[in-house]
Amino acid sequence: ASTSQSDHSAHTKSASLVSSDSVSTSADNFSPDLRVLRETNKLAEMEEPPLLPGETIKDMAKDVTYICPFTGAIRGTLTVTNYRLYFKSMERDPPFVLDASLGVINRVEKIGGASSRGENSYGLEIVCKDIRNLRFAHKPEGRTRRSIFENLMKYAFPVSNNLPLFAFEYKEVFPENGWKVYDPIWEYRRQVDFDLLDQIFAIKIISIEKHSIHSAKLQIKKMRSWNLTVVKPQRNLFANLLLFSLQGIPNESWRLSKINERYELCDTYPAILAVPVNIPDEELKRVASFRSRGRIPVLSWIHPESQATITRCSQPMVGVSGKRSKEDEKYLQAIMDSNAQSHKIFIFDARPSVNAVANKAKGGGYESEDAYQNAELVFLDIHNIHVMRESLRKLKEIVYPNIEETHWLSNLESTHWLEHIKLILAGALRIADKVESGKTSVVVHCSDGWDRTAQLTSLSLLMLDGYYRTIRGFEVLVEKEWLSFGHRFQMRVGHGDKNHADADRSPVFLQFIDCVWQMTRQFPTAFEFNEYFLITILDHLYSCLFGTFLCSSEQQRVKESLPKKTVSLWSYINSQLEDFTNPLYVSYSNHVLYPVASMRHLELWVGYYIRWNPRMKPQEPVHNRYKELLAKRAELQKKVEELQREITNRSTSSSERAGSPAQCVTPVQTVV
Amino acid sequence: MLGSGAKAAKPSFVSYISPEEIHIKEPIEKEVNLRLLPGEQLLCEASTVYKYIQEDGSNRGTYGKLVCTNFKIAFLDEDSTSDDNEPQFKNKIIGENDITLQCVDQIYGVYDEKKKLLTGQLRKYPEKLIIYCKDLRVFNFCLRYTKEEEVKRIVSGIIHHSQTPKLLKRLFLFSYASAAPDNTDGRNQTVMFDTLEDWRDELERTKGDVQYKAVSTNEGYKVSEKIYRTIRKPPYELLKTDDLSSSLPSLQEIQTAYTRFKQLFLIDNSTDFWATDVKWFSLLESTNWLEIIRRVLKKAIEVVECLERQHTNVLLIEESATDLCCVISSLVQVMMDSYSRTKSGFQSLIQKEWVIGGHGFLDRCNHLHKSDKEEAPVFLLLLNCVWQLVQQYPPAFEFTETYLTVLSDSLYVPIFSTFFFNSQHQKDTAMTGESLKTQSSPFRFLTVWDWSVQFDPKAQAFLNNPLYAEKPKPDKSQRKTARFKHQRQLSLPLTQTKSSPKRGFFREETDHLIKNILGKRIGKFINSSDEPPNSFREFYDSWHSKPVDYHGLLLPCVDGPEIKVWAQRYLRWIPEAQLHGGGTIATAAKILDLMEEVQNLQVKMDEEHSQAISGDLHAVPMLRNSARLSSLFPFALLQRQSVKPALPTSTWKDLEDEDDLVRRDDEFVDLSSDML
């Protein structure tokens, strides 16, 4: 006889979206009605999963034992839908729930044969992409294993079975359309000249209370609608100023080109590219032929004051013979010339120099300083995707299921994981420093310019531009630097593909998010989003619930009509922002963040890599604590407002004082 | 032979000045003003000393005067124009460029680019002087432009006064106490445990059963010089003895570990910093310091488990019962008794378990340079362990990590008696002895718990945790009654519903189990058989599975990733480790801002009531523009004004075992075939 149970369908949709492996702690949230209703039903029904719109149950097995590495074996019902694997047991109070998206499954293996004896020796082992393994034991006589196995193989790997990913069947409707978060034209224009903006604000054409750049940017976003509250006589003046000031890009040195509108110049690049103004489209084609996979240098970011830029590309096709391209050399010169502040340009090659050299044999290579005048080449020593994959594998070994007791630190060191994180951060730091302090333009590339390059540019943008530290800004950053510039999510993650040993898989994006987390640790008030936001992004990197991380390029996404057929992750996130907001966020105006890329400040992200271990779980989930803080802040602010109102009331009608207000007895210390 | 500001020394004082110093007396220019404390005397000085700013290996720095007094070594900056940015967190006793003689750890001289440890007599004088401090500051002085005579004087003076054995009565403590006006603050909330009454109150507070009696048999220290406490000999079987000398690392091991550990933070320059960064985790591990912290915390959890779950009294045994016994019993109380997590409660605990409990601070800190063998950072070990708890459960503590850091610094400030005696007996003896000589009333020593001596109210605010989850109804009225009321619930953190199998007398007693049962004994007992090793794990897990009550039992997580380096204490002087606009201070600043806002409004409100506002309002520091603050705040304020990032210079370590992977390409497609 169960007393209370946790049923996710009774909760907000957020609860059911996020995978969990825990004793459900939300049992008290039930209305008494529901409890009564449920108690009349059978046990098995209570062990059914909640379903999302579009989700259907494909298989169900009773009397399955989940062998939890932390709390021991537990018996319950295992359900497979076209979206998730769901295990629930009423044996414990509150009921035990394991809820994982099928997208997270890396491989499924059978353990033991029908003849195997011994308890729990016959079943399935499920290896997941999010640093955990799940083991289930079936009763050999129950014949449930085979069908569960087959259904898992079918629905966890739909791509291998010519089935659609669940994202195409998910029918949830959110108030906001996340596919509209990023508009390249507006994003390039956003990178405006702040001085000019200030001038606009100085003549008070629009009412902006604060002069912070952040609010200025928000104001710019509002301007998109052109429904401006501008008084009539000033409208023309305003419009002129606005057009003038919005010359982030295009400006006198950079233009937006539509040469890649049909993805013919480069099939892994977006349709709209920002390129130097004096390089005509014809020449771009010749530059493209000299850059691996046609990935020419294009603008990522422009410094609002110095006009120093960050451009990204792939390696030049130098080859063993040391080929040169006049167009490419001229192109880089044009990038340098667009920044009057410096007579130098830095080329950051993300690879170790050995690998850059080795690439010559394959026709690739790096820019020689002889051919590119005024250019200085720096290797950032970041290793390739295979090294990173291996590093993560080692990391999993020492944290799952058990944390290595002895020699924790040297074990951690031997995974090299944090060392890789350090090098990526250090590389981004160098780039940011050159642009900010050196006022020098930089070009960033690795081999193809979609892995390490994306990590480097997006992290340095995060350091340089506070806009990207807001929730929406970060979404734009991911859309721009990762999705539009063709990070191969499909290959690196292997969505719905059963080929788990594929050498193209690598935790490149995970590393980026880890670096961001390290930055949020070092600067706890500089980011509008919280840890839960980052974990949510990673969970849905694998879940295949949203279309955001599907496919490997903009071209493919357009071809698959993802914006029409799937829901964007940002729709979900932006519809419940409060869950993802860091209450301590302070929007510093135009503040460059330099993280310290030293092991002394780097930490293993326990909240992600070791989150399945109940011992390492924070007492209350992090975001709850944040929410609590938020509530406290709101309470404080409300109080402040009350006080203010009271003051004004009293000052206006000091005569009508009936009784002394029983206000503000709480000492401040207790409130906060 | 007196410094400009010093009062005439009492004749009873032994001269600190070695003969060669006596004759040289140059007129002291007043362009640099050396601030002397009462009883402080200038011993020697040298001018045109160049002090390097610890930064990127460049030779930037300032000229000034290096002086040595009977209290400190100080560098007086010639162009101290930095008055405009008055630091918000300033120690009133020890300035930015002051090093108390007890704070000096090691002194190195540089001869032709070679570093040499300086001790005792010198034949040749170095061109550069590097002073490593116990609070982990590193000072680099260049003596190349200083007159040879002055170099000799200052170097030998500094070495003599800071590195050679000293008599207890020559501690600055005594000259300060006799010269300083008696300004002890009567409002001190800390229970000093130096009277029988204090002990009775404590027993009452913790609701100890009648078996514990506050006794005064040790009056006059007849029983033991060290023990000034209630001792209980329970003849019952429900007792577990734990010999700490066999279950915990030895003092020698602790000392070795800490010596290695602190070395990692005494960074000479940027190159050093990045060179050690590559192997940071294994270096850290090889010191064994974090592992010792882990073992100590684990042991404390085991003891808590005995008390809490098995209802067993625990008798902690150690050779002297004044080192690891103090650590474990203090930790157990911090975990079990939330009163110990308030500021006054923690201070009372230190007072009870350590100061009165007879921890040999003088020997363990080697304040008198008598014997290196006795030195061991036992008290620091406790602070390091408490810090782990503070960072795991910040809302449970009334004090901040800054509090723990300044407390650790106070170990080396010889104006407080707290950490400068081996026992209460020694203190009493010294006091009566000295006052007899001077024929005056007994000394009034300052206690470190009077924080106003070191910090003004604004700075003191940094010691209080704004996020402290205060008890719902804090009774702030009278000191003793408040304590008593306050504690009744606290001392019984978890009431086990499961009844103990024992009945009667035992039942009664175990129900009220609290910390006083942690008796300490001299000598060795028979060691009880070891517990199954994993029972503590289970105990932790079952506690952890419930939501945490910040006023109840608190257990630290001791798994590898959760035992961390106390970054504030150990990284605070290292410019490369500085985060501009970041670190925990950024959070604190944000919260304090909010508090200030509310407070201002409340003040306004109160003014409306035309009530005079007492100056008693809790001071909130002004932390405007926290983007400009660095993580080194509130320490090391003036270093590195430039906002340049610290760029790693170290090279990549070899991935020995992954050579094949390293050489692989990102893609398997041959690019040359991809060409148009």
Side-chain angles (χ1 to χ4, degrees):
Chain A
S2 62
T3 47
S4 71
Q5 71 275 3
S6 161
D7 184 339
H8 282 258
S9 62
H11 297 289
T12 55
K13 41 190 176 268
S14 66
S16 60
L17 290 180
V18 181
S19 54
S20 68
D21 174 353
S22 67
V23 177
S24 175
T25 50
S26 44
D28 339 322
N29 293 354
F30 283 90
S31 64
D33 300 351
L34 189 70
R35 207 169 286 169
V36 174
L37 184 79
R38 279 306 205 169
E39 269 166 31
T40 58
N41 285 338
K42 280 182 199 155
L43 185 90
E45 275 173 50
M46 295 193 293
E47 292 184 345
E48 274 176 26
L51 296 177
L52 296 171
E55 187 180 4
T56 49
I57 292 177
K58 299 295 179 190
D59 198 358
M60 206 172 210
K62 295 182 182 74
D63 280 339
V64 174
T65 306
Y66 170 59
I67 302 159
C68 176
F70 310 109
T71 59
I74 179 165
R75 188 174 295 183
T77 306
L78 177 65
T79 311
V80 177
T81 74
N82 50 349
Y83 168 63
R84 79 184 85 208
L85 174 145
Y86 187 86
F87 175 86
K88 188 170 179 182
S89 168
M90 306 301 292
E91 266 180 17
R92 289 190 195 162
D93 183 25
F96 181 92
V97 175
L98 185 147
D99 186 355
S101 63
L102 294 181
V104 92
I105 296 176
N106 202 27
R107 67 173 198 263
V108 186
E109 266 164 30
K110 293 180 195 160
I111 320 168
S115 59
S116 26
R117 302 269 167 248
E119 217 184 333
N120 300 336
S121 59
Y122 175 80
L124 293 173
E125 166 138 39
I126 297 162
V127 179
C128 300
K129 295 169 182 173
D130 60 358
I131 327 287
R132 60 176 160 165
N133 297 346
L134 309 171
R135 287 186 70 169
F136 294 98
H138 295 251
K139 287 185 172 166
E141 65 278 11
R143 291 170 180 266
T144 54
R145 184 179 80 164
R146 186 175 158 188
S147 115
I148 290 281
F149 177 78
E150 279 168 2
N151 277 302
L152 277 177
M153 291 303 285
K154 187 170 172 191
Y155 294 103
F157 309 118
V159 172
S160 305
N161 293 297
N162 288 318
L163 288 170
L165 288 162
F166 182 71
F168 293 95
E169 290 166 57
Y170 181 47
K171 297 294 175 237
E172 190 68 75
V173 179
F174 291 100
E176 192 183 314
N177 184 357
W179 289 111
K180 297 202 165 142
V181 159
Y182 174 61
D183 174 343
I185 295 181
W186 271 97
E187 168 55 20
Y188 285 118
R189 282 195 183 167
R190 187 196 60 81
Q191 300 174 5
V192 293
D193 186 321
F194 294 133
D195 288 341
L196 282 168
L197 261 186
D198 283 347
Q199 283 169 28
I200 301 180
F201 299 142
I203 49 174
K204 290 185 180 170
I205 287 174
I206 32 179
S207 57
I208 291 180
E209 282 175 9
K210 286 178 192 162
H211 297 279
S212 74
I213 299 304
H214 177 67
S215 63
K217 286 172 180 169
L218 288 180
Q219 208 63 38
I220 291 291
K221 292 201 99 180
K222 281 184 201 156
M223 287 179 201
R224 289 179 69 163
S225 55
W226 289 86
N227 288 328
L228 296 159
T229 51
V230 182
V231 262
K232 255 186 184 171
Q234 287 174 322
R235 192 171 277 168
N236 281 339
L237 171 64
F238 173 76
N240 285 335
L241 271 171
L242 186 68
L243 283 174
F244 182 44
S245 69
L246 282 182
Q247 285 169 5
I249 303 300
N251 65 10
E252 70 273 10
S253 311
W254 294 87
R255 68 185 178 95
L256 296 180
S257 165
K258 288 193 171 179
I259 187 179
N260 202 33
E261 207 167 18
R262 292 191 184 141
Y263 309 104
E264 280 162 350
L265 181 82
C266 170
D267 60 359
T268 54
Y269 261 3
I272 291 165
L273 301 172
V275 295
V277 84
N278 52 355
I279 306 286
D281 282 356
E282 272 315 298
E283 274 183 50
L284 292 180
K285 285 180 190 161
R286 262 167 275 154
V287 175
S289 69
F290 189 66
R291 289 279 163 180
S292 166
R293 297 170 203 276
R295 294 171 66 92
I296 60 169
V298 288
L299 184 91
S300 257
W301 193 75
I302 182 164
H303 194 288
E305 281 145 26
S306 72
Q307 305 283 301
T309 55
I310 297 177
T311 43
R312 55 180 291 173
C313 57
S314 61
Q315 63 181 336
M317 301 305 287
V318 175
V320 248
S321 58
K323 264 186 284 176
R324 289 177 62 166
S325 158
K326 273 213 180 81
E327 291 78 10
D328 195 70
E329 288 159 25
K330 182 184 164 198
Y331 191 93
L332 288 204
Q333 185 66 37
I335 292 173
M336 196 193 85
D337 291 343
S338 70
N339 168 19
Q341 308 256 359
S342 175
H343 302 292
K344 237 185 156 178
I345 189 163
F346 274 84
I347 302 172
F348 286 98
D349 189 326
R351 303 166 292 186
S353 60
V354 194
N355 297 63
V357 172
N359 258 287
K360 285 187 173 178
K362 298 262 172 74
Y366 53 91
E367 296 83 354
S368 80
E369 285 172 14
D370 296 336
Y372 296 83
Q373 281 173 10
N374 308 318
E376 194 175 321
L377 185 69
V378 181
F379 293 105
L380 294 177
D381 289 336
I382 301 168
H383 278 285
N384 65 34
I385 58 165
H386 313 293
V387 173
M388 302 309 188
R389 184 178 57 238
E390 176 63 12
S391 175
L392 184 63
R393 190 193 60 76
K394 284 185 179 166
L395 182 64
K396 183 172 175 176
E397 257 175 23
I398 66 160
V399 300
Y400 191 91
N402 297 309
I403 303 162
E404 278 294 325
E405 265 277 296
T406 48
H407 305 297
W408 161 254
L409 288 170
S410 48
N411 279 329
L412 180 61
E413 187 171 274
S414 68
T415 68
H416 299 293
W417 184 256
L418 286 177
E419 223 167 322
H420 295 306
I421 297 290
K422 171 186 160 172
L423 274 166
I424 296 166
L425 275 173
L429 197 58
R430 274 164 194 276
I431 294 167
D433 179 45
K434 274 283 167 287
V435 173
E436 174 70 25
S437 326
K439 297 182 163 68
T440 308
S441 294
V442 301
V443 177
V444 186
H445 70 72
C446 47
S447 295
D448 296 302
W450 52 46
D451 292 315
R452 289 167 275 199
T453 302
Q455 289 175 335
L456 290 169
T457 55
S458 52
L459 286 169
S460 48
L461 263 56
L462 212 50
M463 294 171 196
L464 290 165
D465 190 338
Y467 170 68
Y468 298 118
R469 294 173 223 142
T470 64
I471 289 180
R472 279 165 201 276
F474 190 79
E475 291 167 359
V476 167
L477 185 71
V478 171
E479 287 282 346
K480 180 159 96 77
E481 291 302 311
W482 290 85
L483 293 157
S484 88
F485 285 114
H487 172 69
R488 310 178 104 191
F489 281 101
Q490 176 61 43
M491 289 182 96
R492 297 287 177 254
V493 179
H495 294 306
D497 184 351
K498 70 177 179 189
N499 184 13
H500 59 84
D502 190 344
D504 274 326
R505 292 198 187 173
S506 189
V508 176
F509 188 72
L510 167 65
Q511 275 184 325
F512 160 67
I513 297 289
D514 193 327
C515 290
V516 176
W517 179 80
Q518 303 285 351
M519 284 180 72
T520 64
R521 288 285 294 182
Q522 294 191 8
F523 302 97
T525 61
F527 293 83
E528 194 192 12
F529 48 82
N530 57 22
E531 183 182 37
Y532 180 54
F533 175 75
L534 298 176
I535 292 177
T536 303
I537 290 176
L538 287 177
D539 279 343
H540 293 296
L541 168 68
Y542 304 122
S543 76
C544 296
L545 181 63
F546 300 104
T548 302
F549 296 116
L550 303 186
C551 300
S552 289
S553 67
E554 189 179 291
Q555 183 194 29
Q556 288 173 14
R557 271 176 220 111
V558 170
K559 202 175 132 206
E560 298 283 338
S561 324
L562 285 185
K564 275 188 204 133
K565 293 183 181 164
T566 67
V567 179
S568 162
L569 171 59
W570 317 131
S571 306
Y572 162 63
I573 283 178
N574 295 348
S575 301
Q576 43 193 86
L577 283 175
E578 73 281 8
D579 288 354
F580 304 106
T581 307
N582 171 14
L584 296 169
Y585 176 56
V586 182
S587 159
Y588 304 131
S589 56
N590 207 15
H591 182 238
V592 179
L593 286 191
Y594 290 131
V596 173
S598 155
M599 289 311 214
R600 283 135 169 118
H601 276 305
L602 297 183
E603 273 179 60
L604 183 72
W605 187 6
V606 169
Y608 183 74
Y609 301 106
I610 323 187
R611 63 178 159 154
W612 310 118
N613 187 332
R615 194 176 297 140
M616 300 305 287
K617 225 176 239 175
Q619 283 291 333
E620 340 158 5
V622 179
H623 54 280
N624 278 4
R625 177 110 193 91
Y626 278 135
K627 274 187 187 165
E628 204 179 281
L629 268 171
L630 263 179
K632 272 179 186 163
R633 186 179 66 167
E635 182 193 318
L636 266 177
Q637 275 165 346
K638 204 176 129 202
K639 201 164 201 174
V640 169
E641 275 161 32
E642 268 170 30
L643 286 169
Q644 263 163 344
R645 217 175 303 130
E646 211 163 313
I647 287 169
T648 37
N649 282 352
R650 243 188 277 164
S651 56
T652 50
S653 61
S654 51
S655 53
E656 302 173 11
R657 202 172 291 166
S660 62
Q663 187 66 45
C664 67
V665 276
T666 334
V668 180
Q669 284 268 312
T670 340
V671 182
V672 184
Chain B
M1 184 50 236
L2 294 171
S4 47
K7 293 200 285 183
K10 303 230 160 143
S12 65
F13 269 92
V14 188
S15 172
Y16 289 89
I17 302 150
S18 46
E20 73 264 25
E21 286 163 358
I22 290 181
H23 312 289
I24 313 131
K25 167 88 178 146
E26 292 190 34
I28 298 160
E29 298 80 36
K30 36 188 178 359
E31 88 256 11
V32 275
N33 45 334
L34 171 62
R35 236 170 26 94
L36 292 173
L37 293 172
E40 187 176 1
Q41 293 167 298
L42 178 69
L43 300 179
C44 50
E45 59 181 322
S47 38
T48 46
V49 172
Y50 191 73
K51 176 180 164 277
Y52 294 108
I53 291 171
Q54 195 194 355
E55 196 186 2
D56 54 41
S58 77
N59 285 339
R60 294 208 295 125
T62 46
Y63 283 102
K65 190 180 272 184
L66 188 60
V67 304
C68 180
T69 74
N70 56 346
F71 171 61
K72 64 177 181 244
I73 298 162
F75 178 76
L76 308 167
D77 205 331
E78 260 166 21
D79 39 39
S80 49
T81 47
S82 49
D83 282 355
D84 46 331
N85 48 1
E86 173 78 2
Q88 291 164 310
F89 188 81
K90 208 173 96 180
N91 193 309
K92 295 198 281 186
I93 303 294
I94 300 154
E96 203 199 342
N97 289 322
D98 294 348
I99 313 159
T100 66
L101 297 176
Q102 279 68 32
C103 191
V104 175
D105 192 4
Q106 287 185 314
I107 301 175
Y108 280 86
V110 178
Y111 302 86
D112 300 324
E113 308 283 303
K114 267 180 224 142
K115 260 168 74 176
K116 214 186 121 200
L117 184 68
L118 302 185
T119 45
Q121 288 291 320
L122 297 183
R123 255 183 244 122
K124 217 178 129 200
Y125 289 88
E127 57 225 56
K128 242 173 100 180
L129 202 62
I130 306 173
I131 301 179
Y132 295 105
C133 303
K134 291 190 172 164
D135 61 6
L136 301 151
R137 285 178 296 170
V138 179
F139 287 90
N140 279 278
F141 296 112
C142 177
L143 306 169
R144 216 168 287 154
Y145 317 102
T146 315
K147 282 185 214 141
E148 206 186 320
E149 270 306 294
E150 290 186 358
V151 172
K152 279 186 188 171
R153 236 180 304 138
I154 196 74
V155 175
S156 55
I158 286 175
I159 291 171
H160 176 76
H161 296 295
S162 72
Q163 299 296 81
T164 55
K166 219 179 225 186
L167 291 175
L168 175 65
K169 61 184 177 187
R170 283 208 195 178
L171 274 180
F172 179 67
L173 185 67
F174 293 97
S175 39
Y176 182 78
S178 58
D182 184 7
N183 56 354
T184 36
D185 190 357
R187 291 184 307 137
N188 196 352
Q189 284 241 325
T190 310
V191 190
M192 304 303 281
F193 288 98
D194 49 3
T195 64
L196 195 56
E197 203 196 6
D198 281 349
W199 282 95
R200 283 206 191 102
D201 288 346
E202 176 73 355
L203 279 180
E204 223 175 309
R205 181 184 81 77
T206 53
K207 277 232 78 186
D209 72 51
V210 283
Q211 294 293 309
Y212 301 92
K213 252 190 240 160
V215 288
S216 54
T217 47
N218 201 20
E219 203 137 12
Y221 305 99
K222 283 183 223 105
V223 179
S224 159
E225 285 196 351
K226 289 251 175 184
I227 302 295
Y228 190 91
R229 58 166 55 248
T230 58
I231 295 173
R232 179 188 185 217
K233 291 185 193 171
Y236 321 118
E237 70 232 82
L238 260 178
L239 174 84
K240 191 194 158 216
T241 58
D242 197 334
D243 188 348
L244 298 177
S245 34
S246 65
S247 58
L248 283 178
S250 70
L251 294 188
Q252 188 52 47
E253 283 172 77
I254 293 170
Q255 168 68 5
T256 314
Y258 184 71
T259 307
R260 281 200 223 119
F261 178 75
K262 80 177 175 206
Q263 220 56 46
L264 298 180
F265 302 92
L266 295 169
I267 307 274
D268 280 344
N269 52 46
S270 186
T271 324
D272 232 27
F273 180 88
W274 292 112
T276 46
D277 205 54
V278 186
K279 282 245 169 207
W280 180 248
F281 289 119
S282 43
L283 280 172
L284 213 50
E285 188 176 279
S286 68
T287 70
N288 210 31
W289 178 248
L290 292 183
E291 180 59 24
I292 287 173
I293 290 173
R294 211 166 77 96
R295 279 172 69 186
V296 166
L297 286 170
K298 233 167 135 174
K299 172 60 71 187
I301 297 176
E302 278 171 33
V303 173
V304 171
E305 189 201 352
C306 283
L307 297 172
E308 194 60 45
R309 202 154 72 162
Q310 300 168 6
H311 300 285
T312 311
N313 292 359
V314 178
L315 191 60
L316 300 174
I317 299 170
E318 195 191 6
E319 195 84 54
S320 65
T322 53
D323 291 304
L324 292 171
C325 269
C326 300
V327 177
I328 299 294
S329 70
S330 307
L331 274 176
V332 167
Q333 290 170 63
V334 169
M335 291 178 194
M336 292 180 77
D337 182 351
S338 72
Y339 173 59
S340 306
R341 292 173 227 144
T342 64
K343 216 162 89 185
S344 58
F346 186 69
Q347 293 175 172
S348 305
L349 179 75
I350 303 298
Q351 199 63 33
K352 181 179 72 168
E353 295 292 329
W354 295 78
V355 180
I356 304 299
H359 174 67
F361 281 105
L362 210 50
D363 292 341
R364 294 294 173 248
C365 298
N366 204 9
H367 284 320
L368 301 178
H369 287 276
K370 270 191 175 152
S371 160
D372 290 348
K373 279 180 199 145
E374 289 292 309
E375 193 173 341
V378 184
F379 186 63
L380 266 182
L381 178 62
L382 172 80
L383 296 184
N384 272 277
C385 290
V386 173
W387 180 84
Q388 304 291 340
L389 276 154
V390 167
Q391 64 104 19
Q392 287 182 22
Y393 307 100
F397 290 84
E398 193 191 33
F399 48 85
T400 57
E401 64 165 343
T402 306
Y403 169 84
L404 293 175
T405 304
V406 297
L407 181 56
S408 76
D409 290 345
S410 305
L411 271 176
Y412 317 111
V413 185
I415 63 167
F416 308 109
S417 64
T418 316
F419 303 129
F420 282 87
F421 289 103
N422 278 332
S423 66
Q424 191 67 6
H425 175 246
Q426 189 187 27
K427 181 183 169 189
D428 290 350
T429 318
M431 269 165 80
T432 39
E434 283 302 309
S435 54
L436 273 178
K437 261 199 242 166
T438 56
Q439 287 143 11
S440 59
S441 54
F443 288 120
R444 289 296 300 271
F445 289 128
L446 291 179
T447 163
V448 73
W449 312 125
D450 184 358
W451 292 105
S452 66
V453 176
Q454 292 190 76
F455 302 103
D456 61 25
K458 262 189 181 173
Q460 277 187 62
F462 286 102
L463 312 182
N464 301 323
N465 176 13
L467 285 177
Y468 176 54
E470 206 161 321
K471 294 238 19 158
K473 272 188 279 169
D475 192 338
K476 281 182 177 167
S477 54
Q478 229 259 320
R479 176 188 139 199
K480 277 173 188 166
T481 49
R483 232 187 330 121
F484 178 63
K485 271 192 199 164
H486 196 60
Q487 287 320 308
R488 196 164 278 189
Q489 311 152 278
L490 304 182
S491 53
L492 300 168
L494 287 183
T495 347
Q496 296 286 118
T497 40
K498 201 173 70 183
S499 68
S500 154
K502 300 278 175 188
R503 287 260 130 229
F505 180 69
F506 271 125
R507 184 82 186 83
E508 285 289 318
E509 176 188 290
T510 48
D511 271 359
H512 301 298
L513 262 184
I514 20 76
K515 55 196 186 185
N516 272 41
I517 24 192
L518 298 171
K520 290 184 189 173
R521 289 288 305 270
I522 309 168
K524 294 215 175 191
F525 252 59
I526 320 118
N527 197 11
S528 65
S529 63
D530 278 353
E531 288 292 309
N534 270 332
S535 81
F536 113 95
R537 265 265 116 101
E538 202 188 292
F539 175 60
Y540 175 81
D541 286 350
S542 80
W543 173 82
H544 186 75
S545 64
K546 289 169 213 132
V548 65
D549 169 12
Y550 292 124
H551 297 284
L553 181 66
L554 211 61
L555 298 179
C557 176
V558 295
D559 284 286
E562 287 302 312
I563 300 296
K564 293 176 185 168
V565 173
W566 182 0
Q568 188 192 50
R569 179 165 200 272
Y570 295 105
L571 295 176
R572 60 187 155 152
W573 314 113
I574 304 175
E576 286 79 13
Q578 153 165 245
L579 300 161
H580 284 279
T584 45
I585 194 67
T587 313
K590 167 90 180 172
I591 293 162
L592 289 171
D593 270 358
L594 206 59
M595 283 173 61
E596 191 193 325
E597 198 183 317
V598 173
Q599 215 163 48
N600 286 343
L601 277 158
Q602 277 178 344
V603 169
K604 249 192 220 164
M605 288 278 300
D606 291 350
E607 276 167 353
E608 295 276 316
H609 286 286
S610 70
Q611 291 268 324
I613 304 301
S614 68
D616 238 24
L617 257 175
H618 197 73
V620 172
M622 306 285 273
L623 286 176
R624 292 273 166 245
N625 210 351
S626 54
R628 298 281 165 269
L629 287 177
S630 104
S631 61
L632 303 189
F633 186 87
F635 304 97
L637 289 165
L638 301 172
Q639 292 191 30
R640 257 177 89 100
Q641 299 287 341
S642 66
V643 201
K644 284 272 284 174
L647 296 174
T649 55
S650 56
T651 45
W652 171 254
K653 238 183 352 172
D654 281 341
L655 293 172
E656 317 83 14
D657 43 337
E658 289 164 25
D659 251 8
D660 52 326
L661 287 179
V662 172
R663 269 187 251 109
R664 267 165 84 175
D665 294 321
D666 279 358
E667 306 292 334
F668 289 104
V669 193
D670 194 329
L671 293 174
S672 44
S673 64
D674 219 34
M675 298 291 299
L676 298 171

